[in-house]
Amino acid sequence: MIRLFFIIIMLKISDITKFTLQDYPNHTACIIWFAGCNMRCKFCHNTEFLEQNSNFLSKDYVISFLQKRVGLFDGVVLSGGECTICDSFIDFVKEIKKLGFKVKIDTNGLNFNTIKELVENKLVDFIALDFKAPIDKFTNITQIDKNQYNNFEHTLKYLIKNNNEKNVDLEIRTTIHTKLLQEEDINKMIDILDDLKYSQIYYIQNFRNDNKATLINLGDQVYLVNKEKIKQPKNFTVDYRNFF
């Protein structure tokens, strides 16, 4: 007797934000949240998406939701967790594109091969890349091996090159909690981006103490980053989020 074994590959989608005006610049969109992440950032606000539990939305449900929204909003944001590590992610993105939506992904950049395939096949329109820290503080913040910084850097270089060639829209951003990062760290990252000829806006995002649980209890910041100590880049501009 021949026994056939089938592996069921499941999209680990935890939730949908049904409408947003903030997460895809200049576009109306929804957000699809994927479970699982290959980092464990101390300041992570999305801890509910870190573990790959079994309470997932079915792909049929998600596609049906999107089909009913064709013409009602412009794009779909894929976030998490880390959306690019999900099984069958690229096939899922293809289905979204067939519906006519623009696609934005939020990523930490470690999964280079998936990101490269998305860009080369014109499956992604906008990428928001999280630049967590310079190499000397990378492990302390992400709680993963320092060597993984090389994977991030590979993606960083690739995306800046492709953005400059008009193949994909790109935003690079850093979340700052001043117990973890200080002005000199931001300036190191600005130098890296300048050397790579980054030409878009670099967003410095203030850590929000909004009473939502983070992975590590960091407590309040010692101080807010001093904008006057942040250097002016040569090739791009710096902007600030969540500084009130």
Side-chain angles (χ1 to χ4, degrees), residues 108-110 112 115 129-131 149-163 170 172 189 192-193 196 198:
N108 59 34
L110 294 190
F112 173 77
I115 292 170
L129 180 65
D130 289 312
F131 195 167
Y149 181 86
N150 295 330
N151 292 336
F152 164 76
E153 188 176 49
H154 191 33
T155 298
L156 177 68
K157 292 177 180 178
Y158 174 81
L159 288 179
I160 290 176
K161 177 179 181 292
N162 276 272
N163 175 249
L170 177 64
I172 297 175
M189 292 186 277
I192 291 169
L193 296 177
L196 294 174
Y198 179 60

Side-chain angles (χ1 to χ4, degrees), residues 1 11 24 41 58 61 65 82 98 109 146 149 169 172 176 190 222 228 234 244:
M1 178 186 297
L11 286 168
Y24 195 142
C41 300
S58 72
Y61 171 83
F65 166 83
E82 173 56 38
K98 285 178 182 177
K146 185 177 181 179
Y149 181 86
D169 290 332
I172 297 175
I176 184 166
I190 286 174
V222 178
E228 294 182 0
K234 299 174 185 175
F244 305 111

Side-chain angles (χ1 to χ4, degrees), residues 9-228:
I9 298 177
M10 171 175 212
L11 286 168
K12 297 180 174 65
I13 297 174
S14 292
D15 201 4
I16 300 176
T17 298
K18 294 183 178 180
F19 188 75
T20 177
L21 292 171
Q22 298 180 331
D23 292 85
Y24 195 142
N26 303 313
H27 291 85
T28 56
C30 69
I31 310 172
I32 297 176
W33 299 95
F34 287 80
C37 191
N38 46 9
M39 287 184 177
R40 288 294 183 269
C41 300
K42 291 180 176 180
F43 53 70
C44 181
H45 274 82
N46 294 336
T47 55
E48 66 270 33
F49 303 127
L50 291 183
E51 300 303 327
Q52 301 189 31
N53 57 43
S54 58
N55 298 318
F56 302 124
L57 302 177
S58 72
K59 190 183 90 166
D60 288 344
Y61 171 83
V62 177
I63 292 298
S64 175
F65 166 83
L66 294 175
Q67 287 171 337
K68 294 172 184 176
R69 270 77 179 173
V70 171
L72 297 180
F73 51 66
D74 307 319
V76 178
V77 179
L78 306 176
S79 193
E82 173 56 38
C83 61
T84 66
I85 67 173
C86 185
D87 293 333
S88 297
F89 181 71
I90 290 175
D91 289 337
F92 180 63
V93 176
K94 288 178 181 178
E95 292 192 53
I96 296 174
K97 292 296 288 181
K98 285 178 182 177
L99 294 174
F101 292 109
K102 290 182 176 294
V103 171
K104 171 181 178 276
I105 66 170
D106 298 335
T107 181
N108 59 34
L110 294 190
N111 199 354
F112 173 77
N113 290 334
T114 294
I115 292 170
K116 182 173 183 284
E117 186 170 348
L118 290 169
V119 173
E120 290 190 347
N121 289 285
K122 300 187 184 304
L123 295 173
V124 62
D125 302 280
F126 191 109
I127 294 179
L129 180 65
D130 289 312
F131 195 167
K132 302 291 185 179
I135 189 170
D136 56 308
K137 290 193 174 180
F138 184 77
T139 292
N140 180 51
I141 288 175
T142 65
Q143 301 192 93
I144 62 172
D145 192 280
K146 185 177 181 179
N147 291 329
Q148 290 292 325
Y149 181 86
N150 295 330
N151 292 336
F152 164 76
E153 188 176 49
H154 191 33
T155 298
L156 177 68
K157 292 177 180 178
Y158 174 81
L159 288 179
I160 290 176
K161 177 179 181 292
N162 276 272
N163 175 249
N164 289 339
E165 293 173 354
K166 310 299 183 186
N167 295 325
V168 66
D169 290 332
L170 177 64
E171 168 190 305
I172 297 175
R173 59 200 188 181
T174 297
T175 298
I176 184 166
H177 187 299
T178 50
K179 284 185 180 178
L180 300 174
L181 290 174
Q182 291 80 45
E183 291 86 355
E184 57 266 30
D185 302 306
I186 295 295
N187 287 335
K188 286 181 185 177
M189 292 186 277
I190 286 174
D191 286 340
I192 291 169
L193 296 177
D194 250 342
D195 288 344
L196 294 174
K197 301 297 187 289
Y198 179 60
S199 58
Q200 304 303 316
I201 299 174
Y202 174 44
Y203 287 98
I204 299 173
Q205 302 180 154
N206 187 46
F207 172 84
R208 295 175 302 175
N209 188 2
D210 55 6
N211 297 318
K212 185 178 179 184
T214 52
L215 195 61
I216 300 295
N217 183 13
L218 294 170
D220 293 331
Q221 296 188 71
V222 178
Y223 67 97
L224 291 182
V225 66
N226 185 343
K227 297 177 186 179
E228 294 182 0

